Amino acid sequence: INAEYMGHFLSVYFFSPQGVSHTMINDEGRNVDAYIPRKCTSTNALIVAKDHGSVQFNIGMIDSSGVYIGENKTVAFTGYQRSKGTTDQGLNRFCLENDIIKERKDEEIITQKRAAASR
């Protein structure tokens, strides 16, 4: 490895309550790690690089009038979760916990079904 090349990068240790995390940061303070592992939203399992069935997507946040405000929440699921068909439950749980959707009460569902049946 070229010493001049290595001089451009700093290996910095960050101390956190969970312990020491090691990351590569360049002179400008930007993260330059080649691979940053992801975790599954519903199971907290690590998503490995070879998991080609995994997905990750962003949910855009909107204001009360329905306009995108420039923020998003990232959701990731493993290929195993997708193959079992449990990602919809995990996505619903994530959205409920982050106030993206609200939980419907049984009375609301019953009245909507009655209104639909009377049409």
Side-chain angles (χ1 to χ4, degrees):
I1 294 178
N2 186 333
E4 182 181 339
Y5 174 78
M6 289 305 293
H8 292 293
F9 295 97
L10 299 172
S11 181
V12 180
Y13 287 93
F14 290 105
F15 294 94
S16 65
Q18 293 82 17
V20 177
S21 70
H22 183 263
T23 183
M24 293 292 292
I25 296 179
N26 65 6
D27 294 336
E28 299 169 356
R30 299 175 100 185
N31 187 359
V32 292
D33 279 338
Y35 175 70
I36 300 171
R38 300 173 294 160
K39 289 182 95 174
C40 180
T41 301
S42 62
T43 63
N44 279 340
L46 216 77
I47 300 175
V48 297
K50 295 287 185 180
D51 188 356
H52 298 295
S54 64
V55 293
Q56 175 176 326
F57 54 92
N58 297 325
I59 300 173
M61 298 292 106
I62 57 173
D63 61 7
S64 60
S65 61
V67 178
Y68 177 64
I69 59 174
E71 298 176 4
N72 59 36
K73 303 228 182 219
T74 303
V75 181
F77 295 104
T78 62
Y80 178 76
Q81 288 294 114
R82 293 185 64 213
S83 69
K84 292 295 179 186
T86 58
T87 54
D88 57 342
Q89 295 170 355
L91 182 61
N92 284 338
R93 190 176 330 110
F94 174 81
C95 291
L96 285 170
E97 290 170 356
N98 290 290
D99 296 325
I100 297 171
I101 60 174
K102 65 178 185 173
E103 188 171 3
R104 294 173 55 183
K105 298 189 175 32
D106 290 336
E107 298 87 31
E108 291 178 35
I109 297 170
I110 292 169
T111 54
Q112 286 180 357
K113 285 183 180 179
R114 286 182 183 159
S118 64
R119 288 184 200 169

